[in-house]
Amino acid sequence: MKRIYTLLFLCVVACMSLWAQPKISFDMTTKDLGYVLWRTPATVTYQFTNTGDKPLVISNVTTSCGCAKAQWTEEPVPAGGKGKITVVFDAEAIGHFYKDVGVYCNAASLPIYLDFNGEVTADAKNYSFTHPYAIGAIRLNQEELDFKSVNKGDRPVIELLVANTSNKAYSPVLMHLPPYLEAKAVPEKLGRGKTGKILVTLDSEKLPKLGITRASVYLSRFPGDKVGSENEIPVSVALLPDFSKLTEQQKNNPPQITLSAKELEFVDLKPNQKKSQTIVILNTGRSDLNIQDMQVFSMALAVKLKKRVLKPGESTKMKITVLAQNLHRVKGTPRVLMITDDPNQPMITIRVKARLKSSEK
């Protein structure tokens, strides 16, 4: 009987020894490097964890070409421990690439294969179509942050898309944020030729007033960058009036704003020309119309408004003048924005298209 128990015990121990083994689990087995600059080494890192029961030992790591050199955690990795494999890729030719990395370890009888891919280019990727606005080597999909039709209590978010066309890793940061704005970069760091975004959140409870609020934030192009006109991003917020406390009489007899035009076009302007057009504003409602706030979003525009309070049936004129000499300094769309007490049209935007006359050859 003792012999039988001894044999059973030895079998259990043997089985447990067979079951106990190291196991390697990678964070990712495929890495997309995107665009890699020629003659600029790129580093690929594969993180791994030993999810087995015995120490994990990597005996060798091979690459599919001489342009990639590998290093790895050589000491035994205990159960639950972590390690990494680092491959430095120094491209020899321009164009698309796909490279294998073979991992030899005591967790498998055959090599475990990883890979990375991308494209080698002599220049950073051309993002001029998807990210048309350049601030140094950083490109954006928009050159201003415009929070439209915001109600008290709202927390709207604008996604500012960012592309890194520099030859270094880049951390997107917006500087000089006013108290009512928050910004978070996703991801926090962009590799060369990579894209990301900055999530800009507005806390409308912290706005200083109803109507239009304007400010500027600045995109940091590199660590220690300073603020200036080159990295300025204008911010505009239109906080609408609160109509929730209107009486029934006010709801049934609202003011109503009507404009003769909401878009003006100025073509073939001479470099130092000043040219004007007039818009007629009419109150077709049943109570007084108040133009509570008005702002001009361009130094190339000048605006004159004769009256801000219009009785029912009354009209006034708005004269908009384009200053052609300032067009080259314009950031954003030239426009005039008005906040009114018309509950159906609390915000009116008048857009101005202006272009200089083409120089004759």
Side-chain angles (χ1 to χ4, degrees):
M1 184 66 68
K2 289 183 179 180
R3 290 181 179 179
I4 294 174
Y5 283 128
T6 302
L7 289 172
L8 288 173
F9 175 75
L10 292 174
C11 288
V12 170
V13 171
C15 289
M16 289 181 65
S17 299
L18 289 173
W19 291 337
Q21 60 181 3
K23 186 176 180 181
I24 188 167
S25 297
F26 289 92
D27 61 338
M28 291 180 68
T29 57
T30 297
K31 300 275 187 175
D32 182 1
L33 303 188
Y35 282 79
V36 174
L37 291 179
W38 187 46
R39 293 181 176 174
T40 304
T43 301
V44 190
T45 301
Y46 302 92
Q47 304 282 349
F48 65 83
T49 303
N50 179 7
T51 55
D53 303 309
K54 293 182 68 176
L56 170 70
V57 178
I58 295 179
S59 57
N60 194 22
V61 176
T62 62
T63 60
S64 57
C65 79
C67 56
K69 305 295 183 183
Q71 292 184 328
W72 62 93
T73 302
E74 296 186 6
E75 61 271 17
V77 178
K82 297 180 181 295
K84 65 181 180 179
I85 297 170
T86 302
V87 180
V88 177
F89 173 61
D90 193 356
E92 296 177 348
I94 292 175
H96 290 279
F97 63 86
Y98 178 93
K99 305 297 179 183
D100 284 327
V101 179
V103 180
Y104 295 80
C105 65
N106 62 340
S109 57
L110 297 175
I112 299 169
Y113 284 99
L114 313 172
D115 62 77
F116 60 92
N117 63 85
E119 182 175 349
V120 179
T121 178
D123 299 300
K125 184 178 178 182
N126 182 3
Y127 282 105
S128 59
F129 293 104
T130 57
H131 300 69
Y133 304 104
I135 295 182
I138 310 304
R139 301 193 70 92
L140 307 174
N141 69 319
Q142 52 190 311
E143 59 180 344
E144 60 183 327
L145 302 175
D146 189 4
F147 292 90
K148 303 175 182 177
S149 303
V150 177
N151 293 299
K152 197 74 171 177
D154 289 352
R155 287 182 62 87
V157 178
I158 289 180
E159 289 190 358
L160 182 64
L161 304 185
V162 184
N164 177 19
T165 65
S166 71
N167 60 359
K168 298 180 180 180
Y170 167 67
S171 298
V173 175
L174 287 181
M175 303 182 292
H176 284 214
L177 289 170
Y180 49 83
L181 289 182
E182 303 168 5
K184 180 182 178 181
V186 181
E188 294 182 356
K189 183 172 288 188
L190 299 179
R192 295 165 295 181
K194 295 293 186 177
T195 62
K197 57 189 175 183
I198 302 176
L199 302 177
V200 185
T201 304
L202 169 68
D203 185 351
S204 61
E205 295 287 355
K206 296 181 179 179
L207 286 169
K209 64 182 179 68
L210 288 171
I212 302 160
T213 299
R214 297 182 67 186
S216 288
V217 295
Y218 301 85
L219 181 70
S220 175
R221 296 159 290 187
F222 46 82
D225 195 10
K226 298 181 179 180
V227 303
S229 58
E230 298 85 4
N231 59 343
E232 179 184 11
I233 301 175
V235 179
S236 62
V237 182
L239 184 61
L240 302 182
D242 183 6
F243 297 106
S244 62
K245 298 179 181 179
L246 293 179
T247 65
E248 286 301 317
Q249 183 179 0
Q250 290 173 324
K251 292 179 182 178
N252 295 329
N253 298 277
Q256 184 175 339
I257 186 170
T258 302
L259 281 74
S260 60
K262 291 185 179 180
E263 188 171 293
L264 301 178
E265 188 170 5
F266 296 79
V267 297
D268 295 334
L269 295 171
K270 296 178 181 179
N272 294 314
Q273 186 177 5
K274 295 181 181 180
K275 194 170 183 179
S276 302
Q277 293 187 39
T278 299
I279 292 176
V280 177
I281 301 174
L282 175 65
N283 179 11
T284 55
R286 298 180 178 179
S287 59
D288 289 357
L289 172 71
N290 288 273
I291 299 174
Q292 298 176 335
D293 199 0
M294 183 181 74
Q295 284 203 15
V296 181
F297 285 77
S298 175
M299 63 177 60
L301 298 183
V303 179
K304 287 185 178 181
L305 179 63
K306 289 188 175 181
K307 297 183 69 174
R308 290 199 177 216
V309 179
L310 302 178
K311 297 184 179 300
E314 193 174 9
S315 65
T316 189
K317 292 181 178 180
M318 174 185 286
K319 181 180 178 182
I320 298 179
T321 302
V322 172
L323 310 175
Q325 64 181 1
N326 291 335
L327 282 174
H328 70 284
R329 302 170 62 189
V330 169
K331 276 197 171 186
T333 304
R335 66 193 188 277
V336 179
L337 194 149
M338 296 187 296
I339 302 295
T340 79
D341 62 351
D342 178 350
N344 296 311
Q345 296 187 85
M347 185 179 73
I348 302 288
T349 301
I350 301 169
R351 299 187 179 277
V352 179
K353 296 181 179 179
R355 64 175 183 268
L356 295 173
K357 185 176 182 179
S358 300
S359 57
E360 297 180 1
K361 295 182 180 180

